[in-house]
Amino acid sequence: MDTATPAVTVALHDGTSVIASCGQVDARRHGELLLPAVDRVLAEAGTRLDAVTDVVVGVGPGPYTGLRVGLVTAATFGSALSVPVHGLCTLDGLAYAAGLEGLEGPFAVATDARRKEVYWARYEDARTRTGEPAVDRPADIAAALAGLPVVGAGAVLYPDAFPDPRGPEHVAAGALAALAAERLAAGQQLLEPRPLYLRRPDAQVPKNYKVVTPT
Amino acid sequence: MAADEPLVLGIETSCDETGVGIVRGTTLLADAVASSVDTHARFGGVVPEIASRAHLEAMVPTIERALKEAGVSARDLDGIAVTSGPGLAGALLVGVSAAKAYAYALGKPLYGVNHLASHICVDQLEHGPLPEPTMALLVSGGHSSLLLAPDITSDVRPLGATIDDAAGEAFDKIARVLNLGFPGGPVIDRLAKEGDPTSIAFPRGLTGPRDAPYDFSFSGLKTSVARWIEARRAAGEEVPVRDVAASFQEAVVDVLTRKAVRACKDEGVDHLMIGGGVAANSRLRALAEERCERAGVRLRVPRPGLCTDNGAMVAALGAEMVARNRRPSDLELSADSSLPVTEPHVPGAHQQHTHDHVHEISKDNLYS
Ligand SMILES: [Zn+2]
C-alpha cells in the first residue's frame, strides 16, 4: 500500500504477479479510503488478511498527513498479524512502474511536495536510483535534470521546469509490491517502514512573551 | 470483575499523548501512555506536526505494551475504541488509522468515540458506573465545559463552555508570563500552595447577573494578571510569584466550581464529575469538595493520571458502547477534529443488518 501521494493505492501480490489492486486519487481522504480499499482488494482476490505473509508500504517522501496513514496502517497490520513490514521509497515504485510502461533510463521521478516544491530522485534505470530523494523548487533542479524525462505528477505540475513529462502520474501499489517481491526474492533487504519526511516539522518557537499593556 | 464484561482496547491520540488503555467493563487492566510533551516544552505549546510524528513512532509499541501490561491476548478483545474527535486533525488521524487497521486485522468491532465523553466515562474505572444523569465539568488545555449526560453512550448535552481560552490554556499563558515553562498547570499548582490566594483580587469572568450562567471566560483574567505583573516589573518591584499564582488559580477554580455546583442545583443532579487535565489541580479538587459538600452534591474526580489524556478513558467508553449494544463504526471512519460533544460516538452509516454482515466478513479475516 502507498499513501504518500494523492493516490490511495493497495494491491495484493502473490510473489509472481499482482492478483488484485485498487486505487483512488483523493489527496484529502487517505484516512477514510485506505481500509475499505484493503478490504476490496482482499475480497476481489477471495482471500483474507491473515493469509498475507509480508506487508509493503511506501515510505514517501510525501506530504506527511497522508503518508502516515499508510505507515501506521502497515505497522499495525504487522503487529496484529505478526508478519514483517517492509518499506520502499515511493519514488522507486513510480520509477519501476514507468519501467513497466517501457521507459528506459536515465530519467527522474518527481511528485508534488506542495509549497511549490517537488520530491524527486534520479534513476539510472527503472530499478536503480542514483542518490537520495530530495525536496526542491522545480526551477532549482531544472538545469540539473535538463534533457531527462521526468516521471510523475511533479513533472505534470511544472512543465516549464520539466518539459518531458512521462507516466504514470501516480504510484500504483501493484508496482510497489512487484518491486518488493523481486527484491525479497533476490534476498535484498528493504527499508525500515519509517517515513521519509525530508523536511523538519513546522515548529515555530513562540517569540518572547508579548507585552499586553499598551505602551 | 465479571468475565462476561466487555474487554476493550482504547486508543487516544487527539493531542500530545499516545495513549492505549485496556479495560474489562469498568475495571482498568492497562494504561500505557507515551508522551511527546518534553519535545513541545521548548515551543511553549503543543506543535501539531511534532505530535503527529511522535504518535506514528509510538503507536504500535504502545499497543503492544498495553496488551502485555493487561496480560490479555488481542484475540480476546471484544472491541477496539478510538478517539475520532475532537482534537488535532493530523494527530487524531494516526490513532484512527491504527484502530481501524487493528480492528480489521483482528476482526473486531470498531468504535470511534468522542474525546470529551471519554473524559467523563473514565470515572467508571475509579468510582464504578456513572449515575444517570451525570453532571460533568471538563477542564483541560483544550476545553472547559459543563456537560449533562443522561446516557454517556448516546445523550450528552452541553450546558456551557468557554467563550475564549480554555482553563488549562490560561494556566499555560500565565506560567509563560511568569517564566515558569510549559505546561503551566503543575508548576502554578505547586507555587500557589506557598502563596496567598486572597492577596490580589483578580476578576471572575462571566459571573455577573446577566452573564450566561454556565459559560466561562478566562481571557480577561489572563490579561488582568499579565497587566498586574507588568505594572510591578515596570515599577522595578519584585513580582510575588507565589501570591500571583495562588490568586490567579483561585480566580479560575472559584468560577469553575461555583458554576458547576450551580448547574447541579439548577438541574437537580446530586453528583458532579470533574475531568480533564486541570482536574489534577489540587486547589480545584479541594474547593470542589468543599462546595459540593455544602450543596449536598457528591463529587467524583478520578485520580490525576486518569484525568489527563489517556487510552483507558477511550477504552472505558468503548466498553460502555459494547455493553449497551451501540452500533459500531465502519471502516470509512474518519478523524473529525471538531466532532461535536453531542455525538458520543460515530456509528457506521450501515443499517444494523448490513452491519452484522460486515462483521461476518470481518470475522472471516480472523485467524479462524
Ligand atoms: Zn482531553
Side-chain angles (χ1 to χ4, degrees), chain A residues 25-42:
Chain A
V25 176
D26 186 339
R28 307 194 60 85
R29 295 175 60 226
H30 290 73
E32 284 152 72
L33 297 175
L34 182 59
L35 245 290
V38 169
D39 192 43
R40 226 171 296 138
V41 163
L42 290 168

Side-chain angles (χ1 to χ4, degrees), chain B residues 14 115 119 140 143 276 309 313:
Chain B
S14 68
H115 181 79
H119 266 307
S140 76
H143 27 86
D309 292 347
M313 67 190 214

Side-chain angles (χ1 to χ4, degrees), chain A residues 4 11 46 65 77 82 102 104 113 125 155 167 175 182-184 189 194 196 207 209:
Chain A
T65 305
F77 280 169
S82 300
E104 288 175 18
D125 58 55
E182 197 177 293
R183 288 189 177 162
L184 288 173
Q189 277 278 357
R194 309 192 65 164
L196 288 176
K207 298 202 176 65
Y209 165 66

